[in-house]
Amino acid sequence: MNVKSCAKINLALQITGKREDGYHTLRMINLPLDLHDVIEITPLSGTDSYITCDDIRLMGLRANLCTRALQALRDRCGFKENFRIHIHKEIPFAAGLGGGSSNAAAVLLALNSMLKLKLSKEELAEIGLTLGSDVPFFLDPKPSVLEGIGEKITPISVKKKYICLLVKPDEGLSTKDVYAACDNAPREKINIDAVIQALADGDDKAIAMNRGNDLYPPAKELLPLIGRLAEELAFAFPISGMTGSGSCLFALTTDLKKAKEAEKHYEKAGYITRLTHVL
């Protein structure tokens, strides 16, 4: 079975608190993208399962989220079957685009179908949340507000058909390091409710004025290039910023010609680029 595993951007990300267990609570707007990996799952007759990937940085990592998703589902349902899971990678790694979480969600959905486990979406989301805060979102990816640690998901309306330019430095950022630095970092001025309304109205100016990412200040301290790149993108594309904990930046526009020109510019400058659109 081959399944698509899409990326996402955080149009806005606001830290709302910190739990006793150390997890930060968030309120954020996730937009799914057409950019996707493909997860190929093949039954095996042997005594073990294998995860492979055409991105060498993920090869041999038994602790990756696909492995954990398979094991979590096995623990829940008790099946004995083994599989080869191959990740055809298109989503940049260590970028804040949710690639690992999306891959895990794809594995949960595919195995639930292949093995006829008959787990509900709510049961899969419960398992997914033990793997990562974004995994439940990717079980049914659509523009949404996520709250808590990702367990509360509310779909929202997006009036315009946005093109999305992604620009990423070669350097990645550790999510753990960014969150560790965020408690003492300044917060951005973010109005999530205003962004939700602006998306429904198609009001680009209001989106740009009210969006933000509380992980951006600590991320640019850890990797100053992010700050310089964000400022440059914002000059050309008002709706732009960093997604997740970085290091990828995004720009939303309805001007395909302008987006293609910018993609060529950043590609020539040595950045990892992708041109896609919001689903």
Side-chain angles (χ1 to χ4, degrees):
M1 176 179 284
N2 291 343
V3 289
K4 289 184 178 181
S5 170
C6 74
K8 59 82 183 168
I9 58 168
N10 301 107
L11 181 60
L13 188 157
Q14 190 170 40
I15 297 172
T16 57
K18 192 174 183 180
R19 306 194 319 179
E20 289 184 1
D21 61 8
Y23 281 96
H24 290 81
T25 56
L26 306 171
R27 192 170 186 228
M28 55 189 177
I29 297 174
N30 281 13
L31 301 180
L33 303 178
D34 184 55
L35 173 68
H36 60 272
D37 298 336
V38 174
I39 310 297
E40 180 184 343
I41 303 180
T42 307
L44 291 179
S45 58
T47 59
D48 203 358
S49 292
Y50 299 92
I51 312 295
T52 58
C53 181
D54 47 25
D55 186 325
I56 194 168
R57 290 167 295 184
L58 295 179
M59 285 294 293
L61 292 180
R62 290 190 59 86
N64 74 48
L65 283 174
C66 286
T67 303
R68 290 175 57 199
L70 171 59
Q71 189 59 51
L73 205 57
R74 192 189 300 279
D75 292 343
R76 177 69 170 262
C77 300
F79 59 85
K80 303 297 183 183
E81 291 87 345
N82 287 296
F83 301 89
R84 175 181 180 265
I85 300 174
H86 183 72
I87 308 168
H88 297 276
K89 202 72 183 160
E90 288 294 334
I91 302 170
F93 178 70
L97 295 166
S101 294
S102 180
N103 294 167
V107 169
L108 292 177
L109 288 167
L111 292 181
N112 189 48
S113 174
M114 291 174 71
L115 297 172
K116 297 180 172 58
L117 301 176
K118 298 182 180 179
L119 293 177
S120 67
K121 179 184 172 183
E122 290 73 24
E123 290 172 311
L124 290 174
E126 180 184 327
I127 296 169
L129 197 60
T130 68
L131 305 172
S133 59
D134 276 328
V135 177
F137 165 76
F138 284 113
L139 293 170
D140 186 16
K142 59 185 66 172
S144 301
V145 176
L146 278 65
E147 298 178 82
I149 58 170
E151 76 279 9
K152 184 178 179 182
I153 304 173
T154 306
I156 60 174
S157 175
V158 179
K159 184 176 182 179
K160 292 186 176 179
K161 303 296 183 183
Y162 287 107
I163 297 157
C164 182
L165 170 66
L166 301 173
V167 182
K168 182 190 178 299
D170 280 334
E171 301 92 329
L173 281 172
S174 160
T175 299
K176 183 178 179 181
D177 290 345
V178 175
Y179 272 101
C182 76
D183 290 333
N184 298 318
R187 295 284 191 259
E188 299 235 287
K189 293 182 178 179
I190 303 169
N191 187 332
I192 298 283
D193 290 329
V195 178
I196 294 170
Q197 187 61 54
L199 285 168
D201 295 340
D203 187 341
D204 289 357
K205 184 177 180 180
I207 295 170
M209 287 177 58
N210 291 289
R211 65 148 306 277
N213 183 339
D214 278 337
L215 297 178
Y216 171 65
K220 70 177 179 179
E221 286 297 316
L222 292 168
L223 184 60
L225 176 58
I226 288 177
R228 297 194 295 271
L229 186 55
E231 290 177 4
E232 186 178 312
L233 270 174
F235 183 78
F237 301 96
I239 306 176
S240 60
M242 187 186 81
T243 180
S245 56
S247 60
C248 189
L249 293 105
F250 68 86
L252 297 184
T253 181
T254 55
D255 188 334
L256 179 58
K257 181 180 178 182
K258 185 176 181 180
K260 285 183 174 179
E261 289 172 351
E263 181 193 25
K264 288 181 181 178
H265 166 76
Y266 287 110
E267 187 177 27
K268 287 181 180 178
Y271 293 101
I272 298 165
T273 64
R274 299 285 191 276
L275 194 60
T276 183
H277 64 268
V278 175
L279 292 174

